[in-house]
Structure formats: C-alpha cells, structure tokens
Amino acid sequence: MSNENLNNQLMEWRHYLHSYPETAFEEENTARFVAEKLQEMGYEVVTGIGKTGVVGTLKNGDGPGIIGIRADMDALNIQEQTNLPYSSKYPGKMHACGHDGHVTTALGAAKLLADRKNFNGTVRFIFQPAEEHGEGALAMLKDGLFERFPIDEFYGLHNMPGLPEGQIHSKVGGIMASEDNFEIRIKGKGGHASAPNMGVDALVTASQIILALQTIVSRNIDPIDTAVVSCTEIHTDGTVNVIPTNVVITGDCRSYKPEVQSLIKERMQAICGSICEANGATCEFTYRNSFSPTVNWEDCHHTVVQAAKNVLGEENVVDHAQPIMGSEDFGHFIDKIPGCYVFLGGKREGEEVYPLHHAKFDYKDENLVRGAEFFAEIVRLKLPL
C-alpha cells in the first residue's frame, strides 16, 4: 500500500473514531473496531484486558525479541465545538486529547509491519482504555498484561499541538510528571454570619490551609527539583448568611521523584492538622497516587531518536525535550519494563493552536502516517532481520 493510500485509509479510520468517542472503560465499539482491523491484518487478538483493552500480536521469523507499542483509546466528557463533518455524534463526549489519532497511528504501524514483515521477532500492539483518569494502565496490569503478554521494551507517543508539526521530541529521564490527588475535609462549627464568635469558621481555616500549602514547593522542595501543588476546588455547606460547618478542598500535586511525592504528602498532612488544631477545627486528609511519573529509559530513548531521524529527518528530531508537568499513565508501564514515551508536534504556522482538552481541538491527519512509520521503524531497528 502506498503512503497516499495508507494516509487515506488512516484518515477514514480516525474520522470514524472521532465521530464515535467513548470515555473511560466504555470503549466497547472502539475496541471492536480495533480488534477487527488487527484480525484483518493477521494479528492474534485478545480483548477484554483491563475491561476494554485490546492486545494484538504478530510474530515474524524466529527472533526472541518482543517490542510493544501502546495507544490510548478513551475520549473526554467535553461538548465538541469544531463543526467538522466528522464531529462527535455523542453529545457531551469528544476526542479532545487526540486519542483517536493515537489509535489510528498504532493501527497504521500494525498495517505497515504486517505488510512489510521486515522484522524478526514479535510485536505487540496494546490498545489501552481509561488513560484520562489514570486507571486504564493499572487495570491492564492487574489483568496480568505483562505476565500474559511479555514485552521486552514498550513505546508510546502523545500528540502535542504546541510543538511544531511533524517533530518528535524525546529525552532521557522524566518527560511527564506524576499526579497525586488529595481531599481535605475540614469540620468546624457553623452558625449565623453575624456572629462568627459563636462558632469555628471552617472556611477561614480552609483559606489559611490553601495559602500555607503553597509554601511546600517554595520552602520545602529542593529548588533543583520540580513540583506543583494546586488546590482546584472548594465546597461548603454554607450560604450567603451562614458560616459553614464543613468545607472540602480538593486538588492535585505534580512531581518527578518518589521522595518528592512523599515529602509533599507529609507536609500537607502536617499543615492541615496544625492549622485546624490552631483554629479549633478538625480535618480528614486523604492523598492518592494516581499517575506515576513517565521516566524514559536511556537505551530506549536512543532508539526512538534514531527511528525518528530515519523517518522524519534529523531536523525534525529534538532529543532533549522540555519535560511537562502533565501526567500520563504510560508511566505505570515503564516503571516495570524498559520503554520510552515521546511527543509528536502538531503546530502549523498560520493556524490558531487549540490545546489538548479544548472543545475545538482536532488531531492533525498529516501526522498519522508519520507516527505509523515512526513506530514501524522502532520495531525494525529493535528486531532486525
């Protein structure tokens, strides 16, 4: 199949997936679509891994090596505003993060490898559900992904609309941060707004906590390390003339090192407890590790850089990518086995850039073949004939 014909095929597939987005663990139609395409290509397919995940395996020759390629499948609860002819047909759901493009890119690579058979060994394509909430990778691991489907090295990509179109960016070490979610439930003694002296103001206590939490990064974390602590929601049971009894603060934290994660948790708990005690309030503090940091392995990084140069040209490869504080549950996978995660740029000169998770975002179709060739080249390099 020529690149032009492949591009047309991939565009058709992506537009279909974009029209029928499915959110976390609801990717039934998407999984069926993926499984059917892989089976048509000659892959051995297993479904239902991590609820709605799909694994496609193709062996060529007698090589012992096994390379894995991962694509995330889930959409977001966002009302699409692109007005494209292939816009979402499901109200309140859309592929605002480009996972339709990721799935199609992986299918394109699967097609190239099945047609060319220019590798000696085994390739596995892992189509993962529920990335957006950080539960899909863990669900697949819980289902015994690596025990049932061994993989020597694992690779993935994410489109990045703010980077130049067609460029691959990678780096050794941390490229995306961890995400930890917290909830602080403060209990005071509410009452009439005209008589604050009669109670314990949980809202004032919450305000002091929110401000104090900002000192963790500025005064407790080593300035060489990177961390973010963000309070994102506050809920109360008060009203315009009622001082609340209960206040709930929620938010998340980002970092790159386990020791930084632990320090943030410890300092948050101490700050919340001390401020509540000083004000006569009580609190319940919960802290949950949702995403591991995505930390690229050095040898795998060198492989992706060479593959990208072979496919896209040296001028379109950045091997010292700027890491971001966003999170990706691919990190859970390469905590366990070697791997590398890269960014594929989608910014086009003269066009307005809509960021990921924006209601007007759309994946660049021109990147579909680029990404497919990139993945196929990784497999060729790692499993040479």
Side-chain angles (χ1 to χ4, degrees):
M1 178 181 285
S2 70
N3 267 11
E4 181 180 354
N5 289 337
L6 178 62
N7 185 63
N8 291 337
Q9 180 70 87
L10 296 186
M11 285 176 58
E12 179 185 325
W13 289 351
R14 188 187 78 82
H15 293 181
Y16 171 80
L17 292 171
H18 191 91
S19 295
Y20 298 97
E22 296 172 303
T23 50
F25 295 124
E26 297 176 350
E27 307 95 338
E28 300 286 352
N29 178 63
T30 304
R32 278 194 299 271
F33 180 90
V34 166
E36 288 171 6
K37 299 307 176 190
L38 290 173
Q39 287 166 345
E40 290 169 4
M41 297 173 198
Y43 283 74
E44 179 183 336
V45 177
V46 179
T47 60
I49 310 300
K51 297 185 180 179
T52 49
V54 179
V55 177
T57 301
L58 183 68
K59 183 173 177 61
N60 190 57
D62 58 2
I66 307 171
I67 298 301
I69 304 295
R70 176 270 206 167
D72 38 10
M73 300 189 295
D74 55 324
L76 286 154
N77 291 309
I78 293 175
Q79 181 62 45
E80 184 163 354
Q81 297 176 18
T82 63
N83 295 317
L84 292 164
Y86 51 87
S87 288
S88 171
K89 299 186 184 301
Y90 297 153
K93 297 180 186 291
M94 77 167 288
H95 272 296
C97 201
H99 295 184
D100 53 334
H102 299 169
V103 169
T104 308
T105 296
L107 286 174
K111 175 68 173 169
L112 289 172
L113 291 166
D115 289 349
R116 294 171 179 170
K117 292 187 170 58
N118 59 348
F119 65 98
N120 182 27
T122 301
V123 60
R124 299 196 200 278
F125 284 88
I126 312 300
F127 293 86
Q128 180 206 308
E131 183 279 327
E132 293 293 351
H133 299 296
E135 298 177 3
L138 293 173
M140 296 192 87
L141 290 170
K142 186 177 179 181
D143 264 2
L145 176 67
F146 291 150
E147 292 78 18
R148 297 166 63 185
F149 309 96
I151 293 172
D152 297 329
E153 295 179 9
F154 211 9
Y155 296 89
L157 68 75
H158 204 295
N159 76 100
M160 284 292 168
L163 299 178
E165 182 183 357
Q167 288 190 0
I168 291 285
H169 290 227
S170 180
K171 72 179 294 290
V172 177
I175 193 167
M176 298 187 78
S178 65
E179 179 185 341
D180 302 329
N181 304 124
F182 62 84
E183 181 180 85
I184 305 162
R185 305 185 72 90
I186 302 162
K187 185 177 181 64
K189 181 181 179 182
H192 200 285
S194 67
N197 57 301
M198 299 295 290
V200 175
D201 195 328
L203 188 55
V204 168
T205 303
S207 301
Q208 292 173 359
I209 288 173
I210 290 170
L211 292 175
L213 292 180
Q214 303 312 305
T215 65
I216 295 174
V217 173
S218 66
R219 288 296 176 268
N220 298 131
I221 306 298
D222 188 323
I224 301 302
D225 291 325
T226 302
V228 176
V229 175
S230 294
C231 298
T232 56
E233 291 184 296
I234 185 165
H235 301 278
T236 84
D237 59 2
T239 187
V240 65
N241 61 347
V242 176
I243 294 172
T245 295
N246 298 289
V247 176
V248 180
I249 305 166
T250 58
D252 77 20
C253 306
R254 311 288 175 128
S255 59
Y256 276 99
K257 296 180 178 178
E259 57 267 32
V260 174
Q261 286 179 281
S262 296
L263 177 59
I264 290 172
K265 179 181 179 181
E266 291 168 8
R267 291 301 303 137
M268 288 187 73
Q269 192 158 19
I271 287 169
C272 293
S274 297
I275 290 177
C276 284
E277 182 179 3
N279 287 316
T282 60
C283 75
E284 296 177 10
F285 175 75
T286 57
Y287 192 92
R288 182 171 68 92
N289 302 119
S290 297
F291 292 81
S292 292
T294 301
V295 181
N296 288 336
W297 293 56
E298 184 172 2
D299 182 64
C300 299
H301 161 77
H302 293 318
T303 297
V304 304
V305 168
Q306 188 59 58
K309 288 179 178 179
N310 292 351
V311 170
L312 302 171
E314 189 168 351
E315 69 279 7
N316 287 312
V317 181
V318 176
D319 63 4
H320 51 281
Q322 180 72 27
I324 66 172
M325 297 307 291
S327 303
E328 232 289 352
D329 70 354
F330 189 76
H332 292 308
F333 294 132
I334 58 176
D335 273 350
K336 301 182 179 301
I337 62 171
C340 189
Y341 197 69
V342 307
F343 301 145
L344 175 59
K347 181 180 179 181
R348 186 174 296 165
E349 290 298 323
E351 288 189 4
E352 184 173 359
V353 175
Y354 292 108
L356 300 174
H357 294 207
H358 192 283
K360 292 187 177 181
F361 172 80
D362 188 40
Y363 194 92
K364 288 287 189 297
D365 283 328
E366 291 77 7
N367 271 339
L368 295 171
V369 170
R370 292 176 181 134
E373 290 281 8
F374 166 68
F375 276 148
E377 181 66 4
I378 289 174
V379 175
R380 189 192 71 80
L381 288 174
K382 298 302 295 189
L383 303 175
L385 286 170

